[in-house]
Amino acid sequence: VALAGATGSTLGELTGYMAGASSRETMRQAMMKSKWYPRVEGWLQRRGFLAILVIATVPAPVLFDAISFASGSARYSLSRFMAACWLGKMVKFSVAAYAGYLGATAVLSLLGK
C-alpha cells in the first residue's frame, strides 16, 4: 500500500514541478505574495533534498505544492526532487498503512475475531 501510494503521489507532484519549471519568472512573482512560498523557497535553497524529504512526510498539501513549484522554478534536479519526494511519501504512507492495520486489528479484537 505504501509503495503504491508513494509512487502515485510522487508522479502526481510532477505537475507542480513542471508548472514551476515552465513559468519560472511570471508565476514566481505572483507566488512570492503567498503565505508559504517565500519561506519554502528559502528552505529549498539552504537544504534542498532534506527540505523536500521532510515536507513530503507532512500531510499538508498546500505546503508541498509550494515546494514542488519552487523546485521546478529553481531548476532543482528532477531526479533528486523525485527521489526526495518518493522517500518522504514512502514514510508518510507507511505510517498511514500501519495505523490502518493497527486500527483494523483493534476493531477485529473488539468483535472477538
Side-chain angles (χ1 to χ4, degrees):
V1 170
L3 180 62
T7 302
S9 184
T10 299
L11 290 174
E13 296 302 342
L14 284 175
T15 56
Y17 182 93
M18 292 302 176
S22 65
S23 62
R24 184 180 169 109
E25 286 307 315
T26 54
M27 284 300 292
R28 185 176 177 278
Q29 293 169 357
M31 292 291 285
M32 288 303 279
K33 297 175 186 169
S34 78
K35 177 180 176 182
W36 291 105
Y37 186 81
R39 186 175 298 170
V40 165
E41 189 177 63
W43 294 339
L44 184 63
Q45 289 171 354
R46 286 189 302 279
R47 305 262 192 259
F49 191 89
L50 183 62
I52 294 167
L53 184 125
V54 169
I55 294 173
T57 64
V58 177
V62 173
L63 186 57
F64 200 81
D65 288 344
I67 201 154
S68 27
F69 185 88
S71 298
S73 180
R75 304 280 196 250
Y76 190 78
S77 165
L78 178 60
S79 59
R80 289 180 55 83
F81 170 78
M82 300 232 359
C85 180
W86 186 83
L87 288 170
K89 301 279 185 183
M90 190 66 178
V91 169
K92 178 171 65 173
F93 286 111
S94 293
V95 168
Y98 190 65
Y101 168 76
L102 291 178
T105 303
V107 169
L108 288 175
S109 70
L110 288 173
L111 296 174
K113 294 185 182 196

